[in-house]
Amino acid sequence: MPMIYETIISSLDASNQPHIAPFGTRERDGLILIAPFRPSSSLDNLLHHRCAVMNLTDDVRIFAGALTGRRDWPVRRADKINGVVLESALAHRELELVEIREDETRPELYFKVVHEAQHRPFRGFNRAQAAVIELAVLVSRLHMLPVEKIDAEIAYLQIAVEKTAGEHELQAWQWLIECVDNHKSAIRMENLA
Ligand SMILES: Cc1cc2nc3c(=O)[nH]c(=O)nc-3n(C[C@H](O)[C@H](O)[C@H](O)COP(=O)(O)O)c2cc1C
């Protein structure tokens, strides 16, 4: 099984406005695989410009922010492609689309790496960052999950956040918890109606 790395894919829309979203990426036969579920703005952008930037960042606010309406993070122009790089990226890779495997639900897009650069060192694993990423994945699937499962996961993940978070992790965690709370209130209202 190929490893999946959780990254931030930055793309440009048809009017060249930056768009960022978290995507799990894989490496297959020297190519990078991104598989967006339809519908997806990132998918539209990747097909339109046929390129993207894969950002590796430990600022988990960007993952949590993308799912809670906070997508306005500082970016700069990419070096070799028509795209943007997150200022907070520890490293980035610039990608060009070389192959599409069509699928009604989840097409597979294969990219070659045309440029890569390191910006800051990896500082080690942090459990609160991992917990935020886990909760972000749950939040991106809220409508498919029973509330009891979400509550149980949060209770477990919260331990790592309480023990090891810094300011960015606490903020990201709070945004996601607010999103879960809103979802739970909406369900309660539906049940009352
Ligand atoms: C860590 C993480 C990994 C994700 N990986 C994927 C993925 O591989 N494919 C996908 O369709 N969505 C993935 N998502 C959900 C998307 O980021 C989310 O649906 C986002 O809004 C993409 O939609 P957009 O392209 O319309 O912005 C992931 C979310 C998180 C938090």
Side-chain angles (χ1 to χ4, degrees), residues 6 19 21-24 35-37 39-43 63 67 71 106 133 136-137 140:
E6 308 304 344
H19 177 79
F23 281 92
F37 285 100
S40 155
S41 308
S42 301
L43 175 61
F63 288 82
L67 300 174
R71 291 173 180 261
R106 195 180 191 188
I133 298 296
V137 171
S140 76

PDB file of all heavy atoms in Angstrom, residues 6 19 21-24 35-37 39-43 63 67 71 106 133 136-137 140, ligand 1:
ATOM      1  N   GLU A   6      -0.797  13.939   4.043  1.00  0.00           N
ATOM      2  CA  GLU A   6      -1.823  14.984   4.079  1.00  0.00           C
ATOM      3  C   GLU A   6      -1.172  16.323   3.747  1.00  0.00           C
ATOM      4  O   GLU A   6      -0.279  16.771   4.465  1.00  0.00           O
ATOM      5  CB  GLU A   6      -2.517  15.024   5.445  1.00  0.00           C
ATOM      6  CG  GLU A   6      -3.043  13.664   5.919  1.00  0.00           C
ATOM      7  CD  GLU A   6      -4.011  12.977   4.946  1.00  0.00           C
ATOM      8  OE1 GLU A   6      -4.530  13.636   4.027  1.00  0.00           O
ATOM      9  OE2 GLU A   6      -4.237  11.764   5.108  1.00  0.00           O
ATOM     10  N   HIS A  19      -6.827  29.206  -4.660  1.00  0.00           N
ATOM     11  CA  HIS A  19      -7.754  28.359  -3.896  1.00  0.00           C
ATOM     12  C   HIS A  19      -6.911  27.307  -3.190  1.00  0.00           C
ATOM     13  O   HIS A  19      -6.019  26.727  -3.794  1.00  0.00           O
ATOM     14  CB  HIS A  19      -8.741  27.687  -4.855  1.00  0.00           C
ATOM     15  CG  HIS A  19      -9.676  26.745  -4.170  1.00  0.00           C
ATOM     16  ND1 HIS A  19     -10.781  27.184  -3.479  1.00  0.00           N
ATOM     17  CD2 HIS A  19      -9.663  25.395  -4.043  1.00  0.00           C
ATOM     18  CE1 HIS A  19     -11.409  26.130  -2.957  1.00  0.00           C
ATOM     19  NE2 HIS A  19     -10.758  25.036  -3.291  1.00  0.00           N
ATOM     20  N   ALA A  21      -6.925  23.787  -0.517  1.00  0.00           N
ATOM     21  CA  ALA A  21      -7.734  22.730   0.107  1.00  0.00           C
ATOM     22  C   ALA A  21      -6.824  21.579   0.516  1.00  0.00           C
ATOM     23  O   ALA A  21      -5.834  21.289  -0.170  1.00  0.00           O
ATOM     24  CB  ALA A  21      -8.805  22.242  -0.863  1.00  0.00           C
ATOM     25  N   PRO A  22      -7.160  20.919   1.634  1.00  0.00           N
ATOM     26  CA  PRO A  22      -6.375  19.752   2.039  1.00  0.00           C
ATOM     27  C   PRO A  22      -6.684  18.544   1.156  1.00  0.00           C
ATOM     28  O   PRO A  22      -7.859  18.281   0.873  1.00  0.00           O
ATOM     29  CB  PRO A  22      -6.849  19.462   3.476  1.00  0.00           C
ATOM     30  CG  PRO A  22      -7.762  20.569   3.864  1.00  0.00           C
ATOM     31  CD  PRO A  22      -8.232  21.219   2.608  1.00  0.00           C
ATOM     32  N   PHE A  23      -5.657  17.838   0.761  1.00  0.00           N
ATOM     33  CA  PHE A  23      -5.828  16.589   0.017  1.00  0.00           C
ATOM     34  C   PHE A  23      -4.782  15.581   0.466  1.00  0.00           C
ATOM     35  O   PHE A  23      -3.609  15.935   0.651  1.00  0.00           O
ATOM     36  CB  PHE A  23      -5.683  16.809  -1.501  1.00  0.00           C
ATOM     37  CG  PHE A  23      -6.927  17.383  -2.131  1.00  0.00           C
ATOM     38  CD1 PHE A  23      -7.087  18.745  -2.258  1.00  0.00           C
ATOM     39  CD2 PHE A  23      -7.946  16.549  -2.564  1.00  0.00           C
ATOM     40  CE1 PHE A  23      -8.250  19.284  -2.815  1.00  0.00           C
ATOM     41  CE2 PHE A  23      -9.109  17.069  -3.118  1.00  0.00           C
ATOM     42  CZ  PHE A  23      -9.259  18.440  -3.243  1.00  0.00           C
ATOM     43  N   GLY A  24      -5.216  14.343   0.618  1.00  0.00           N
ATOM     44  CA  GLY A  24      -4.281  13.256   0.841  1.00  0.00           C
ATOM     45  C   GLY A  24      -3.647  12.914  -0.498  1.00  0.00           C
ATOM     46  O   GLY A  24      -4.354  12.689  -1.480  1.00  0.00           O
ATOM     47  N   ALA A  35      -6.722  12.606  -5.744  1.00  0.00           N
ATOM     48  CA  ALA A  35      -8.020  12.030  -6.130  1.00  0.00           C
ATOM     49  C   ALA A  35      -9.160  12.782  -5.441  1.00  0.00           C
ATOM     50  O   ALA A  35      -9.553  12.431  -4.334  1.00  0.00           O
ATOM     51  CB  ALA A  35      -8.038  10.539  -5.765  1.00  0.00           C
ATOM     52  N   PRO A  36      -9.699  13.826  -6.083  1.00  0.00           N
ATOM     53  CA  PRO A  36     -10.759  14.611  -5.461  1.00  0.00           C
ATOM     54  C   PRO A  36     -12.138  13.987  -5.708  1.00  0.00           C
ATOM     55  O   PRO A  36     -12.438  13.561  -6.830  1.00  0.00           O
ATOM     56  CB  PRO A  36     -10.687  15.961  -6.180  1.00  0.00           C
ATOM     57  CG  PRO A  36      -9.509  15.890  -7.110  1.00  0.00           C
ATOM     58  CD  PRO A  36      -9.231  14.441  -7.343  1.00  0.00           C
ATOM     59  N   PHE A  37     -12.951  13.939  -4.660  1.00  0.00           N
ATOM     60  CA  PHE A  37     -14.355  13.537  -4.837  1.00  0.00           C
ATOM     61  C   PHE A  37     -15.092  14.669  -5.551  1.00  0.00           C
ATOM     62  O   PHE A  37     -14.893  15.843  -5.222  1.00  0.00           O
ATOM     63  CB  PHE A  37     -15.020  13.309  -3.473  1.00  0.00           C
ATOM     64  CG  PHE A  37     -14.612  12.017  -2.809  1.00  0.00           C
ATOM     65  CD1 PHE A  37     -13.659  12.002  -1.804  1.00  0.00           C
ATOM     66  CD2 PHE A  37     -15.194  10.819  -3.200  1.00  0.00           C
ATOM     67  CE1 PHE A  37     -13.284  10.806  -1.193  1.00  0.00           C
ATOM     68  CE2 PHE A  37     -14.819   9.624  -2.595  1.00  0.00           C
ATOM     69  CZ  PHE A  37     -13.860   9.615  -1.593  1.00  0.00           C
ATOM     70  N   PRO A  39     -18.450  16.959  -6.213  1.00  0.00           N
ATOM     71  CA  PRO A  39     -17.878  18.109  -6.916  1.00  0.00           C
ATOM     72  C   PRO A  39     -16.737  18.701  -6.109  1.00  0.00           C
ATOM     73  O   PRO A  39     -16.732  18.604  -4.895  1.00  0.00           O
ATOM     74  CB  PRO A  39     -19.066  19.077  -6.967  1.00  0.00           C
ATOM     75  CG  PRO A  39     -19.853  18.780  -5.738  1.00  0.00           C
ATOM     76  CD  PRO A  39     -19.655  17.314  -5.453  1.00  0.00           C
ATOM     77  N   SER A  40     -15.789  19.342  -6.791  1.00  0.00           N
ATOM     78  CA  SER A  40     -14.647  19.928  -6.097  1.00  0.00           C
ATOM     79  C   SER A  40     -14.118  21.116  -6.898  1.00  0.00           C
ATOM     80  O   SER A  40     -13.839  20.989  -8.093  1.00  0.00           O
ATOM     81  CB  SER A  40     -13.550  18.863  -5.950  1.00  0.00           C
ATOM     82  OG  SER A  40     -12.281  19.448  -5.838  1.00  0.00           O
ATOM     83  N   SER A  41     -13.983  22.250  -6.224  1.00  0.00           N
ATOM     84  CA  SER A  41     -13.420  23.432  -6.891  1.00  0.00           C
ATOM     85  C   SER A  41     -11.977  23.156  -7.286  1.00  0.00           C
ATOM     86  O   SER A  41     -11.527  23.573  -8.353  1.00  0.00           O
ATOM     87  CB  SER A  41     -13.427  24.642  -5.955  1.00  0.00           C
ATOM     88  OG  SER A  41     -14.679  24.832  -5.422  1.00  0.00           O
ATOM     89  N   SER A  42     -11.254  22.443  -6.396  1.00  0.00           N
ATOM     90  CA  SER A  42      -9.856  22.126  -6.728  1.00  0.00           C
ATOM     91  C   SER A  42      -9.799  21.310  -8.013  1.00  0.00           C
ATOM     92  O   SER A  42      -8.957  21.562  -8.883  1.00  0.00           O
ATOM     93  CB  SER A  42      -9.198  21.336  -5.604  1.00  0.00           C
ATOM     94  OG  SER A  42      -9.219  22.064  -4.415  1.00  0.00           O
ATOM     95  N   LEU A  43     -10.703  20.332  -8.135  1.00  0.00           N
ATOM     96  CA  LEU A  43     -10.719  19.497  -9.346  1.00  0.00           C
ATOM     97  C   LEU A  43     -10.915  20.374 -10.587  1.00  0.00           C
ATOM     98  O   LEU A  43     -10.161  20.243 -11.575  1.00  0.00           O
ATOM     99  CB  LEU A  43     -11.841  18.447  -9.244  1.00  0.00           C
ATOM    100  CG  LEU A  43     -12.058  17.582 -10.476  1.00  0.00           C
ATOM    101  CD1 LEU A  43     -10.811  16.760 -10.809  1.00  0.00           C
ATOM    102  CD2 LEU A  43     -13.275  16.660 -10.287  1.00  0.00           C
ATOM    103  N   PHE A  63      -5.334  23.622   7.502  1.00  0.00           N
ATOM    104  CA  PHE A  63      -6.220  22.465   7.288  1.00  0.00           C
ATOM    105  C   PHE A  63      -7.594  22.760   7.880  1.00  0.00           C
ATOM    106  O   PHE A  63      -8.619  22.594   7.215  1.00  0.00           O
ATOM    107  CB  PHE A  63      -5.625  21.212   7.956  1.00  0.00           C
ATOM    108  CG  PHE A  63      -4.421  20.650   7.247  1.00  0.00           C
ATOM    109  CD1 PHE A  63      -3.155  21.167   7.446  1.00  0.00           C
ATOM    110  CD2 PHE A  63      -4.577  19.593   6.361  1.00  0.00           C
ATOM    111  CE1 PHE A  63      -2.053  20.640   6.781  1.00  0.00           C
ATOM    112  CE2 PHE A  63      -3.479  19.053   5.695  1.00  0.00           C
ATOM    113  CZ  PHE A  63      -2.216  19.590   5.908  1.00  0.00           C
ATOM    114  N   LEU A  67     -11.700  24.058   6.033  1.00  0.00           N
ATOM    115  CA  LEU A  67     -12.996  23.402   6.241  1.00  0.00           C
ATOM    116  C   LEU A  67     -13.982  24.284   6.989  1.00  0.00           C
ATOM    117  O   LEU A  67     -15.136  23.910   7.164  1.00  0.00           O
ATOM    118  CB  LEU A  67     -12.792  22.091   7.013  1.00  0.00           C
ATOM    119  CG  LEU A  67     -11.890  21.087   6.301  1.00  0.00           C
ATOM    120  CD1 LEU A  67     -11.613  19.895   7.197  1.00  0.00           C
ATOM    121  CD2 LEU A  67     -12.533  20.611   5.011  1.00  0.00           C
ATOM    122  N   ARG A  71      -9.879  30.664   4.356  1.00  0.00           N
ATOM    123  CA  ARG A  71      -8.953  30.204   3.312  1.00  0.00           C
ATOM    124  C   ARG A  71      -7.967  31.269   2.886  1.00  0.00           C
ATOM    125  O   ARG A  71      -7.222  31.077   1.930  1.00  0.00           O
ATOM    126  CB  ARG A  71      -9.752  29.753   2.078  1.00  0.00           C
ATOM    127  CG  ARG A  71     -10.544  28.489   2.308  1.00  0.00           C
ATOM    128  CD  ARG A  71     -11.438  28.215   1.094  1.00  0.00           C
ATOM    129  NE  ARG A  71     -12.222  27.010   1.264  1.00  0.00           N
ATOM    130  CZ  ARG A  71     -11.914  25.828   0.757  1.00  0.00           C
ATOM    131  NH1 ARG A  71     -10.830  25.685   0.043  1.00  0.00           N
ATOM    132  NH2 ARG A  71     -12.693  24.798   0.957  1.00  0.00           N
ATOM    133  N   ARG A 106     -14.803   9.751  -8.178  1.00  0.00           N
ATOM    134  CA  ARG A 106     -13.503  10.214  -7.705  1.00  0.00           C
ATOM    135  C   ARG A 106     -12.436   9.986  -8.768  1.00  0.00           C
ATOM    136  O   ARG A 106     -11.731   8.966  -8.742  1.00  0.00           O
ATOM    137  CB  ARG A 106     -13.149   9.454  -6.421  1.00  0.00           C
ATOM    138  CG  ARG A 106     -12.043  10.085  -5.659  1.00  0.00           C
ATOM    139  CD  ARG A 106     -11.716   9.325  -4.390  1.00  0.00           C
ATOM    140  NE  ARG A 106     -10.824  10.115  -3.575  1.00  0.00           N
ATOM    141  CZ  ARG A 106     -10.224   9.703  -2.478  1.00  0.00           C
ATOM    142  NH1 ARG A 106     -10.432   8.478  -2.042  1.00  0.00           N
ATOM    143  NH2 ARG A 106      -9.419  10.492  -1.802  1.00  0.00           N
ATOM    144  N   ILE A 133      -5.528  17.208  12.538  1.00  0.00           N
ATOM    145  CA  ILE A 133      -5.703  16.627  11.191  1.00  0.00           C
ATOM    146  C   ILE A 133      -6.805  15.560  11.234  1.00  0.00           C
ATOM    147  O   ILE A 133      -7.674  15.511  10.358  1.00  0.00           O
ATOM    148  CB  ILE A 133      -4.386  16.005  10.667  1.00  0.00           C
ATOM    149  CG1 ILE A 133      -3.281  17.061  10.536  1.00  0.00           C
ATOM    150  CG2 ILE A 133      -4.601  15.288   9.326  1.00  0.00           C
ATOM    151  CD1 ILE A 133      -3.541  18.142   9.538  1.00  0.00           C
ATOM    152  N   ALA A 136     -10.072  17.259  11.485  1.00  0.00           N
ATOM    153  CA  ALA A 136     -10.387  17.905  10.200  1.00  0.00           C
ATOM    154  C   ALA A 136     -10.953  16.881   9.212  1.00  0.00           C
ATOM    155  O   ALA A 136     -11.908  17.166   8.485  1.00  0.00           O
ATOM    156  CB  ALA A 136      -9.145  18.577   9.617  1.00  0.00           C
ATOM    157  N   VAL A 137     -10.386  15.687   9.207  1.00  0.00           N
ATOM    158  CA  VAL A 137     -10.907  14.640   8.307  1.00  0.00           C
ATOM    159  C   VAL A 137     -12.348  14.306   8.705  1.00  0.00           C
ATOM    160  O   VAL A 137     -13.235  14.201   7.851  1.00  0.00           O
ATOM    161  CB  VAL A 137     -10.014  13.380   8.344  1.00  0.00           C
ATOM    162  CG1 VAL A 137     -10.664  12.232   7.597  1.00  0.00           C
ATOM    163  CG2 VAL A 137      -8.635  13.687   7.752  1.00  0.00           C
ATOM    164  N   SER A 140     -14.666  16.986   7.571  1.00  0.00           N
ATOM    165  CA  SER A 140     -14.932  16.969   6.120  1.00  0.00           C
ATOM    166  C   SER A 140     -15.940  15.867   5.766  1.00  0.00           C
ATOM    167  O   SER A 140     -16.427  15.818   4.644  1.00  0.00           O
ATOM    168  CB  SER A 140     -13.625  16.820   5.328  1.00  0.00           C
ATOM    169  OG  SER A 140     -13.149  15.497   5.371  1.00  0.00           O
TER     170      SER A 140
HETATM  171  C1  LIG B   1      -6.435  15.820   5.892  1.00  0.00           C
HETATM  172  C2  LIG B   1      -7.496  15.897   4.825  1.00  0.00           C
HETATM  173  C3  LIG B   1      -7.345  15.140   3.646  1.00  0.00           C
HETATM  174  C4  LIG B   1      -8.307  15.205   2.635  1.00  0.00           C
HETATM  175  N1  LIG B   1      -8.142  14.474   1.493  1.00  0.00           N
HETATM  176  C5  LIG B   1      -9.072  14.526   0.519  1.00  0.00           C
HETATM  177  C6  LIG B   1      -8.924  13.769  -0.677  1.00  0.00           C
HETATM  178  O1  LIG B   1      -7.943  13.040  -0.876  1.00  0.00           O
HETATM  179  N2  LIG B   1      -9.908  13.872  -1.623  1.00  0.00           N
HETATM  180  C7  LIG B   1     -11.003  14.683  -1.431  1.00  0.00           C
HETATM  181  O2  LIG B   1     -11.858  14.745  -2.310  1.00  0.00           O
HETATM  182  N3  LIG B   1     -11.155  15.417  -0.314  1.00  0.00           N
HETATM  183  C8  LIG B   1     -10.236  15.365   0.661  1.00  0.00           C
HETATM  184  N4  LIG B   1     -10.403  16.085   1.800  1.00  0.00           N
HETATM  185  C9  LIG B   1     -11.587  16.980   1.915  1.00  0.00           C
HETATM  186  C10 LIG B   1     -11.373  18.251   1.103  1.00  0.00           C
HETATM  187  O3  LIG B   1     -10.258  18.992   1.569  1.00  0.00           O
HETATM  188  C11 LIG B   1     -12.595  19.173   1.191  1.00  0.00           C
HETATM  189  O4  LIG B   1     -13.720  18.507   0.721  1.00  0.00           O
HETATM  190  C12 LIG B   1     -12.340  20.438   0.423  1.00  0.00           C
HETATM  191  O5  LIG B   1     -13.391  21.321   0.638  1.00  0.00           O
HETATM  192  C13 LIG B   1     -12.110  20.134  -1.059  1.00  0.00           C
HETATM  193  O6  LIG B   1     -13.088  20.696  -1.844  1.00  0.00           O
HETATM  194  P1  LIG B   1     -12.750  21.840  -2.905  1.00  0.00           P
HETATM  195  O7  LIG B   1     -11.793  21.284  -3.873  1.00  0.00           O
HETATM  196  O8  LIG B   1     -14.107  22.117  -3.501  1.00  0.00           O
HETATM  197  O9  LIG B   1     -12.228  22.998  -2.100  1.00  0.00           O
HETATM  198  C14 LIG B   1      -9.459  16.031   2.815  1.00  0.00           C
HETATM  199  C15 LIG B   1      -9.602  16.775   3.994  1.00  0.00           C
HETATM  200  C16 LIG B   1      -8.645  16.701   4.989  1.00  0.00           C
HETATM  201  C17 LIG B   1      -8.811  17.514   6.241  1.00  0.00           C
END
